[in-house]
Amino acid sequence: MKRILFFYTILLVGCQQRSNETYEKSENLHHPAKKVVLNGLNHPWSIAFLSEEQALISEKDGNLLKVNLQSKEKSIVKGFPKDLTDSIRAYSLGDNSGIFEVLIDPAFKENQWVYFSYAAKRKGEGRTTKVVRAKLENDSLHNHQTLLVAEPFAREYFHFGGGMVFGPDGKLYVTIGERLFWERDNPPIPHAQDISDKRGKIYRINSDGSVPEDNPDFGPDGVPGVYALGIRAAQGIAVEPKTGNIWFSEHGTIQGDEVNLLSAGANYGWPNVTSGKLRSSDYTPPKLDGVTFTPPVWFWPHTVAPTGLTFYTGDDFPAWRDNLIVPGLSRGSLWRFRIENDTIKSAEELFIDDRVRIRKARQSPSGKFYILTDEDDGKLIQIIPNNDTNSYKK
Amino acid sequence: MKRILFFYTILLVGCQQRSNETYEKSENLHHPAKKVVLNGLNHPWSIAFLSEEQALISEKDGNLLKVNLQSKEKSIVKGFPKDLTDSIRAYSLGDNSGIFEVLIDPAFKENQWVYFSYAAKRKGEGRTTKVVRAKLENDSLHNHQTLLVAEPFAREYFHFGGGMVFGPDGKLYVTIGERLFWERDNPPIPHAQDISDKRGKIYRINSDGSVPEDNPDFGPDGVPGVYALGIRAAQGIAVEPKTGNIWFSEHGTIQGDEVNLLSAGANYGWPNVTSGKLRSSDYTPPKLDGVTFTPPVWFWPHTVAPTGLTFYTGDDFPAWRDNLIVPGLSRGSLWRFRIENDTIKSAEELFIDDRVRIRKARQSPSGKFYILTDEDDGKLIQIIPNNDTNSYKK
């Protein structure tokens, strides 16, 4: 009632156009709709905006693309490393291999560095996650530098990780999965708990691949660059703009899908503790003395397969401001979390009647909000306020 | 950015005070906070507002009270039926017996009718749900009329139902549970599926207890007043103001908690179909030929114990307008659903870090939003916009 009074008051003082705009914005706060911007993408994994119109899109089962959101043009970026694993389509249902994250350098305009992660192969040994940077000139990559190789190369084709983000400290944070499907395939000290094993960790490296001096100290056996351990299959990783906190998603087994807050030196517990269940009912993790496990901030009691999360800071949905948006693969979910400090206050599942496997949520430089769908005919979809709703018009 | 520009534009044209108000409202759309209005309630079940200040509160394990929200005064309403079951505290953990719903007549100011449901006892036979109306004069009930007795009286002390609401048609809708804890205790035709059994049904009756002529026809064996069947333990029932649709909550077993849309003559399936699991692993429901079951609109993959739901039409949370609010007992949940027609578009769980068993959500006549907590020291809590947040103040 007050709102309506206000609305008419404004009309009287001559602010008609802008007051209408505000009125409509309030009206649509919770009425998001989808607008397909691009289709025909081959299981897109990530997007890095070069501008509002131009972006790089990594296709898990395809190529690194340069796209124009206006003209809809797509071109394959030349010069992608040749050791991209060619087994992508060797299994009828596909596997976790492919191209993963793509990022541009915070100073891209000056230095043209593009960062990407992918499943690399080595003949006779198998594959693993590799992080490379190269300079983008027009549609071609040059001056390649390998920043991280999560050895050993191995035959398992799951849980590569490959999520990356630049922290507020300018360092590159990288998630590397533990590669196993069954926990029983672990050695006596599980990959993710073995500080001398590169798998199942989160890394913090300089943008040239060197190790920052202020990284946590895991002792003489610690793999260089490790920042946290006990990771199963983290993919999404994002900086909370308001606080500089880094959050990451973690795939559980049947349950155990989690959202975690990254902390230097923390051990997130896999496979010794999990908010879900182990796949291998016959597996008992080893007793690890003197180890403190960091619990997730959030876990779901059902499977979501949370992945490329992000924080919302746009103008289209004021009520979402600073909220964590978590897309999910397995239920086709899009979740919105309101966070205060390190506490989740509320959790909303969006598009319940319009589910589609989502790999990544991202904002354009101006704050437009996009998702990438994990499909054979994958799509870049903008989430826009829906102006067709009638809920206030009565 | 547009919003901020707008804000300053308004300041310039002299609408300072009201524009501030709007700004703050937008700011707080998703920052609900709790304000305890009354405490010391003995597992309150429902509330019926006589005005903004005065209300009737039914305590499941106590009395029917008249309360003043300003002065905090409480008085016991005299003349409550003597057959209220006295076994409330006979079990160490309590049971489902007690006083349930309380409603006032849509024309209460003219006729003073108050409607209430409760677990009534009959010596040597047990107990069941009873619906009574009586005239409220000051703090006393008079002219009692029994509207519904869900016979038989029986020893089971679960799933009384007792939820009530007046429909847009002026009829009284009442939920009656099927009373069993284990499905295997059902006769060959389960209570809830037996149209000649009063249990496990939703009723539609006139306010004097008579049966409307336009009720669905369940044949000569049908219990008078039955409107729908296949109900396990429905408690919450509410009218959607925008559409006149009636929605009700249903307690499942371990999973299977549901939100349903009420439809004349519909069979909601219990125990033959459920979105959860049966408690009795050795129980096989009978095959029922020619029966169509109506699925829930929503079910949770985990236990919520959804109960006294309502629709939000207040002004404090514009983004919640016309949303369905569902409180839960077992996880201390408060859920908000955005509905379009009969489709749930999004689902938000609120107060994740501040859980408390909630029995009922209700609005005052002016649209203030309240919840009742199911505790020994039960509380009436108003949900208010939180003005302390900083999320837009940057």
Side-chain angles (χ1 to χ4, degrees):
Chain A
M1 193 52 166
K2 277 184 185 164
R3 177 171 288 275
I4 290 164
L5 271 178
F6 167 57
F7 178 55
Y8 285 109
T9 304
I10 296 297
L11 283 181
L12 291 173
V13 298
C15 320
Q16 183 167 1
Q17 199 186 342
R18 287 196 178 279
S19 64
N20 260 318
E21 183 181 297
T22 297
Y23 186 70
E24 281 171 12
K25 271 198 174 176
S26 305
E27 188 174 355
N28 297 313
L29 285 177
H30 273 271
H31 301 238
K34 293 178 181 175
K35 179 184 154 191
V36 176
V37 174
L38 288 177
N39 56 20
L41 300 166
N42 196 350
H43 292 267
W45 207 100
S46 186
I47 181 166
F49 285 89
L50 303 169
S51 67
E52 284 299 307
E53 289 75 39
Q54 283 207 311
L56 301 174
I57 289 181
S58 52
E59 296 176 310
K60 184 172 82 70
D61 292 356
N63 297 284
L64 182 64
L65 301 177
K66 190 172 178 182
V67 301
N68 187 300
L69 277 53
Q70 288 291 326
S71 69
K72 317 292 181 189
E73 279 175 284
K74 299 173 199 150
S75 56
I76 295 173
V77 175
K78 297 175 194 74
F80 198 89
K82 301 284 185 210
D83 62 348
L84 173 65
T85 182
D86 57 1
S87 64
I88 293 170
R89 294 172 197 85
Y91 302 89
S92 60
L93 292 173
D95 61 35
N96 288 178
S97 303
I99 310 178
F100 309 131
E101 193 73 86
V102 58
L103 294 179
I104 61 170
D105 195 283
F108 176 79
K109 281 186 183 162
E110 290 77 51
N111 64 25
Q112 294 83 50
W113 284 120
V114 172
Y115 300 75
F116 44 90
S117 55
Y118 64 102
K121 66 185 170 184
R122 186 179 285 171
K123 203 174 172 184
E125 293 181 48
R127 61 192 95 170
T128 196
T129 318
K130 210 170 188 178
V131 177
V132 172
R133 73 170 178 176
K135 295 217 177 202
L136 182 71
E137 288 172 23
N138 299 318
D139 288 5
S140 296
L141 299 171
H142 302 276
N143 304 88
H144 297 62
Q145 294 180 353
T146 297
L147 308 183
L148 185 66
V149 184
E151 291 156 320
F153 287 77
R155 292 186 194 285
E156 293 87 6
Y157 43 89
F158 297 104
H159 308 163
F160 291 92
M164 301 195 294
V165 72
F166 279 100
D169 53 4
K171 307 302 181 189
L172 185 62
Y173 292 80
V174 183
T175 69
I176 298 292
E178 51 107 53
R179 303 291 306 281
L180 298 176
F181 189 78
W182 300 102
E183 301 83 15
R184 64 176 176 238
D185 292 338
N186 268 300
I189 302 296
H191 293 167
Q193 291 295 326
D194 182 354
I195 198 59
S196 69
D197 193 297
K198 288 189 171 178
R199 293 165 287 191
K201 309 294 183 299
I202 291 178
Y203 291 78
R204 176 178 181 260
I205 57 177
N206 294 314
S207 58
D208 64 358
S210 63
V211 174
E213 286 183 8
D214 59 348
N215 261 17
D217 182 7
F218 288 103
D221 295 336
V223 169
V226 168
Y227 190 73
L229 70 158
I231 302 299
R232 180 177 181 270
Q235 291 182 336
I237 183 164
V239 176
E240 183 177 10
K242 205 167 59 168
T243 60
N245 285 335
I246 298 179
W247 297 74
F248 66 97
S249 60
E250 172 78 308
H251 290 299
T253 52
I254 300 167
Q255 293 93 27
D257 286 339
E258 300 175 349
V259 173
N260 291 276
L261 182 52
L262 184 62
S263 177
N267 185 330
Y268 293 90
W270 183 261
N272 290 66
V273 294
T274 169
S275 46
K277 292 173 187 167
L278 299 183
R279 263 185 222 284
S280 306
S281 58
D282 54 346
Y283 177 68
T284 305
K287 209 169 171 334
L288 301 171
D289 291 330
V291 174
T292 303
F293 298 121
T294 299
V297 177
W298 173 267
F299 68 93
W300 286 265
H302 51 74
T303 297
V304 166
T307 176
L309 46 76
T310 196
F311 282 85
Y312 183 78
T313 59
D315 293 325
D316 287 334
F317 301 97
W320 295 9
R321 192 74 62 89
D322 296 320
N323 289 182
L324 175 63
I325 309 288
V326 185
L329 293 164
S330 69
R331 278 166 62 94
S333 298
L334 191 64
W335 287 77
R336 180 177 71 84
F337 293 98
R338 189 166 74 79
I339 294 171
E340 282 182 16
N341 304 315
D342 55 359
T343 303
I344 289 183
K345 307 288 277 188
S346 64
E348 181 175 30
E349 189 177 13
L350 299 158
F351 296 112
I352 283 167
D353 64 323
D354 188 13
R355 296 178 183 276
V356 57
R357 288 173 62 88
I358 309 173
R359 178 70 72 175
K360 185 73 93 180
R362 275 288 176 268
Q363 279 187 186
S364 72
S366 79
K368 287 180 188 165
F369 190 63
Y370 293 92
I371 58 173
L372 286 170
T373 71
D374 181 55
E375 301 174 285
D376 291 341
D377 178 16
K379 294 166 193 70
L380 176 68
I381 293 175
Q382 188 185 352
I383 308 298
I384 56 171
N386 177 8
N387 289 311
D388 295 333
T389 176
N390 289 310
S391 45
Y392 273 73
K393 293 170 186 157
K394 57 181 185 184
Chain B
M1 194 54 167
K2 277 185 185 166
R3 176 171 289 278
I4 291 165
L5 271 178
F6 168 56
F7 178 56
Y8 286 110
T9 304
I10 296 298
L11 284 180
L12 292 173
V13 298
C15 319
Q16 185 168 358
Q17 197 184 346
R18 287 198 180 278
S19 64
N20 260 318
E21 183 181 299
T22 297
Y23 187 69
E24 282 171 13
K25 271 200 173 174
S26 304
E27 190 174 354
N28 297 313
L29 285 177
H30 273 269
H31 302 237
K34 293 178 181 175
K35 179 184 154 192
V36 175
V37 175
L38 288 176
N39 57 19
L41 301 166
N42 195 350
H43 292 267
W45 207 101
S46 187
I47 180 166
F49 285 90
L50 303 169
S51 67
E52 284 299 308
E53 290 75 39
Q54 284 206 312
L56 301 174
I57 290 180
S58 52
E59 296 175 309
K60 184 174 81 71
D61 292 357
N63 298 285
L64 182 63
L65 301 176
K66 191 173 178 181
V67 301
N68 187 302
L69 277 54
Q70 288 290 325
S71 67
K72 317 292 181 189
E73 280 175 286
K74 298 173 198 149
S75 57
I76 296 173
V77 175
K78 296 176 195 74
F80 198 89
K82 301 285 186 208
D83 62 349
L84 173 65
T85 182
D86 57 2
S87 65
I88 294 170
R89 295 172 197 83
Y91 302 88
S92 61
L93 293 172
D95 61 34
N96 288 178
S97 303
I99 309 178
F100 310 132
E101 192 74 85
V102 57
L103 294 179
I104 62 170
D105 195 284
F108 176 79
K109 282 189 181 159
E110 290 77 52
N111 64 26
Q112 293 85 48
W113 284 119
V114 172
Y115 300 75
F116 45 90
S117 55
Y118 64 101
K121 66 185 171 183
R122 185 180 287 170
K123 203 175 173 184
E125 292 181 47
R127 62 192 94 169
T128 196
T129 316
K130 211 171 187 177
V131 177
V132 171
R133 74 169 178 176
K135 295 216 175 202
L136 181 71
E137 290 172 21
N138 300 317
D139 288 2
S140 297
L141 299 170
H142 301 277
N143 304 89
H144 296 62
Q145 294 180 355
T146 297
L147 309 183
L148 185 66
V149 184
E151 292 156 319
F153 287 77
R155 293 184 195 285
E156 293 87 7
Y157 43 88
F158 296 104
H159 308 162
F160 291 92
M164 301 195 294
V165 71
F166 278 100
D169 54 3
K171 307 303 180 188
L172 185 63
Y173 293 79
V174 183
T175 70
I176 298 293
E178 52 106 52
R179 303 292 304 282
L180 298 176
F181 188 78
W182 299 103
E183 300 83 15
R184 63 177 175 236
D185 293 337
N186 267 300
I189 302 295
H191 293 166
Q193 291 295 326
D194 182 352
I195 198 60
S196 69
D197 193 297
K198 289 188 171 179
R199 293 165 287 191
K201 309 292 184 303
I202 292 178
Y203 291 78
R204 176 177 181 262
I205 57 176
N206 294 313
S207 57
D208 64 357
S210 63
V211 174
E213 287 183 8
D214 58 347
N215 261 16
D217 181 7
F218 288 103
D221 294 336
V223 169
V226 168
Y227 190 73
L229 69 159
I231 303 298
R232 179 177 182 269
Q235 290 181 335
I237 184 164
V239 176
E240 183 177 10
K242 204 168 60 167
T243 60
N245 285 337
I246 298 180
W247 296 74
F248 66 97
S249 60
E250 173 78 309
H251 291 299
T253 51
I254 301 168
Q255 293 93 27
D257 286 339
E258 300 175 350
V259 173
N260 292 277
L261 182 53
L262 184 62
S263 177
N267 185 331
Y268 293 90
W270 183 260
N272 290 67
V273 295
T274 169
S275 46
K277 292 173 187 168
L278 299 183
R279 264 186 221 284
S280 306
S281 58
D282 54 346
Y283 177 70
T284 304
K287 207 168 174 333
L288 300 171
D289 291 328
V291 174
T292 303
F293 298 122
T294 299
V297 177
W298 173 267
F299 69 93
W300 285 267
H302 51 74
T303 297
V304 166
T307 175
L309 47 78
T310 196
F311 281 85
Y312 183 77
T313 59
D315 293 324
D316 286 335
F317 301 97
W320 295 10
R321 193 73 62 88
D322 296 320
N323 288 180
L324 175 62
I325 310 288
V326 186
L329 293 165
S330 69
R331 280 167 61 94
S333 299
L334 191 64
W335 286 77
R336 179 176 72 85
F337 294 97
R338 188 166 75 79
I339 294 171
E340 282 182 16
N341 303 316
D342 54 0
T343 303
I344 288 184
K345 307 288 276 189
S346 64
E348 182 176 29
E349 189 177 13
L350 300 158
F351 296 111
I352 283 167
D353 64 323
D354 187 13
R355 296 179 182 276
V356 57
R357 288 173 61 89
I358 309 173
R359 177 69 74 175
K360 185 72 94 179
R362 276 288 177 266
Q363 280 188 185
S364 73
S366 79
K368 288 180 188 165
F369 190 63
Y370 294 92
I371 57 173
L372 286 169
T373 72
D374 181 55
E375 301 174 284
D376 290 343
D377 178 16
K379 295 167 194 69
L380 176 68
I381 293 174
Q382 188 184 351
I383 309 298
I384 56 170
N386 177 9
N387 289 311
D388 297 332
T389 176
N390 289 310
S391 46
Y392 272 73
K393 293 171 187 160
K394 58 181 183 185

